[in-house]
Amino acid sequence: MENKQTGNRVRLGIFVSIAIALFIFVIYFIGNRQNLFTKTFHVKSVFKDLGGLQVGNNVRFTGLNVGTINTVEIISDSTVMVDMMIKKHIQKFMRADAIATIGSEGLMGNKVINLLPGSPGTAMIKDGGIVKTITPVSIDDIMKNLEATTRNAAVITGDITVLTTSAR
């Protein structure tokens, strides 16, 4: 009987050890993804339209993931301020005239902020600095222009048909 209890205790101990190890791994993975275990600095940008950008989305600097969106705050009815948490070692490469744009991961993926470094002769950006923004062309605008182009092409095709049939 005592052998059975000892076996159960060993299995319970192994189960608890694996559960604790798994928990620590998950905490480390999530914390590393959200830059909780690295030194960071914050910069802000003001956008007119976020186009689906959310807290926790990635920030990229020259194509590399270097941070995450920390907070999104509505300033007025037409502007939104985004606070970005970026790895500290990237700060020396970012200039005060850096530019932020909103892009996407792949064709239909999550939204990301792409940071362009700025001019080489400009001073390094400070913690809490403001990054200028460029408003990207939205898919909706492209579709509206495509619709207008399609209508114009249909009118031109109709006119060409009338001209070619009357010339016979």
Side-chain angles (χ1 to χ4, degrees):
M1 185 75 169
E2 195 171 307
N3 249 354
K4 189 175 182 183
Q5 286 181 346
T6 304
N8 285 341
R9 288 181 182 162
V10 168
R11 278 184 269 184
L12 179 62
I14 291 172
F15 176 76
V16 169
S17 298
I18 290 173
I20 290 173
L22 186 62
F23 178 73
I24 291 171
F25 174 75
V26 168
I27 293 296
Y28 175 76
F29 181 74
I30 292 171
N32 195 29
R33 179 110 169 104
Q34 296 297 323
N35 297 316
L36 297 177
F37 304 124
T38 58
K39 290 184 179 182
T40 60
F41 72 103
H42 292 260
V43 292
K44 298 179 181 190
S45 289
V46 177
F47 292 95
K48 293 184 185 222
D49 181 17
L50 294 181
L53 190 72
Q54 299 175 354
V55 173
N57 285 18
N58 290 328
V59 176
R60 289 187 177 162
F61 182 75
T62 62
L64 299 171
N65 288 338
V66 296
T68 57
I69 306 297
N70 191 35
T71 60
V72 174
E73 178 183 345
I74 298 174
I75 296 174
S76 69
D77 62 342
S78 62
T79 56
V80 179
M81 181 173 285
V82 175
D83 179 49
M84 296 169 267
M85 185 170 44
I86 300 172
K87 294 176 183 174
K88 185 73 172 171
H89 72 277
I90 300 298
Q91 186 175 11
K92 62 185 171 189
F93 301 110
M94 284 186 66
R95 304 291 172 214
D97 64 344
I99 297 172
T101 63
I102 297 176
S104 62
E105 292 179 322
L107 188 58
M108 301 298 282
N110 289 334
K111 295 295 183 176
V112 297
I113 290 186
N114 293 308
L115 295 174
L116 303 173
S119 305
T122 310
M124 181 176 70
I125 195 164
K126 296 179 181 174
D127 191 8
I130 302 290
V131 177
K132 297 174 190 164
T133 61
I134 295 176
T135 305
V137 178
S138 72
I139 296 294
D140 293 337
D141 293 338
I142 293 171
M143 293 307 241
K144 287 177 187 174
N145 287 338
L146 183 61
E147 183 181 346
T149 303
T150 305
R151 270 192 256 116
N152 290 340
V155 169
I156 291 170
T157 305
D159 290 346
I160 290 174
T161 304
V162 169
L163 286 174
T164 56
T165 55
S166 65
R168 290 186 197 174

